[in-house]
Amino acid sequence: MKKLNVTIQLEMSVPEDWELATTSEGTAVLKLPNGQFMDIAIEPLFATDPEETWSSTEEEDVLNDILDMVESEEVRYEFVTH
């Protein structure tokens, strides 16, 4: 098998009441005002034609097979203030 490195960087405008939280394992996540937490991570999307609509898989085995290929993942959150 060969290695594939994927770097994901997002810049988002989010509501002022979103906060950063840390899990017991030290992982940063977002705390939303409605009592929910959100983590942004890889989710593979599939299509039968690259020019058509892409969607996640309904097949849990396929998703698990793809996620099992991920050896490490790093998501970094930082609020930018001007």
Side-chain angles (χ1 to χ4, degrees):
M1 217 179 264
K2 56 187 173 185
K3 295 283 184 190
L4 170 66
N5 289 335
V6 178
T7 302
I8 300 172
Q9 179 176 339
L10 304 174
E11 184 174 309
M12 302 170 64
S13 295
V14 300
E16 290 293 328
D17 53 0
W18 283 25
E19 300 175 13
L20 293 177
T22 305
T23 68
S24 61
E25 296 177 345
T27 303
V29 295
L30 294 164
K31 181 180 179 185
L32 309 183
N34 60 0
Q36 288 186 315
F37 294 86
M38 180 174 70
D39 187 16
I40 299 173
I42 181 176
E43 180 180 353
L45 299 175
F46 300 90
T48 55
D49 181 335
E51 304 303 323
E52 298 297 325
T53 303
W54 292 76
S55 63
S56 60
T57 181
E58 297 290 325
E59 299 176 40
E60 204 168 303
D61 288 342
V62 171
L63 179 59
N64 287 335
D65 288 346
I66 297 295
L67 293 177
D68 284 345
M69 293 179 196
V70 177
E71 294 178 9
S72 67
E73 177 183 355
E74 180 181 340
V75 177
R76 187 173 41 233
Y77 297 99
E78 174 186 4
F79 284 116
V80 178
T81 56
H82 299 280

